[in-house]
Amino acid sequence: MRLRTVIAMMLAVAALAGCQRETNPDILKLTGKMFVFNYRLAYATYMIVLSKTEPVPEGSTVVATFENPAGGPPLTMERKLFAKLDKVVLESADITCVKKEQPYGVTIEVKGPDGTILQTLETTVTSKLDQSILPAKALVVGPGYDKNPEVFKDGKAPARFETAKCG
């Protein structure tokens, strides 16, 4: 009888141990990363998409640091995390000099309301295209997407569009 009680207690302890949560679960999971090339406005940006896997404390933020393809200091952005939104989309400022098949580093930090780092994600983003596919100047201007007079002389398209250069 005593042996059965000991075995039953050991099984109960083992079952409870199996139910414990993992320590320090990731709050955000990387679900998408790419470069966005806007041909009409002649710019490129990084775009990172994250999904929440855990609730975040009110007042938390996410800080993203993007490698600058043109060289120089990295580009940094900070966004507030909202409890009711399941997805977080981060888009960098405009960038230049993106090269095809070149990996560029991105670091993402999730910070609590007091500034404590709750999670760090590191990844790279690689483009399948070179930025030279973009025009040198925006093809449209203004809220009505009017033809850019610097590109369309006398309203006519040039025989060949000048493409973006690095530098």
Side-chain angles (χ1 to χ4, degrees), residues 47-108:
M47 184 174 287
I48 304 291
V49 180
L50 305 160
S51 294
K52 283 188 198 167
T53 58
E54 293 288 326
V56 295
E58 188 67 35
S60 295
T61 58
V62 62
V63 178
T65 304
F66 303 95
E67 182 179 347
N68 188 342
L75 308 166
T76 303
M77 64 169 298
E78 184 172 352
R79 292 279 189 271
K80 182 177 178 182
L81 291 175
F82 295 97
K84 293 188 179 193
L85 297 179
D86 292 331
K87 298 243 185 252
V88 179
V89 179
L90 305 173
E91 189 168 6
S92 73
D94 296 356
I95 54 174
T96 59
C97 300
V98 176
K99 300 290 181 207
K100 179 180 180 178
E101 304 301 329
Q102 169 71 40
Y104 297 99
V106 178
T107 302
I108 301 160

Side-chain angles (χ1 to χ4, degrees), residues 108-112 114-120:
I108 301 160
E109 293 179 332
V110 180
K111 294 185 176 184
D114 61 353
T116 305
I117 296 175
L118 304 174
Q119 180 185 2
T120 301

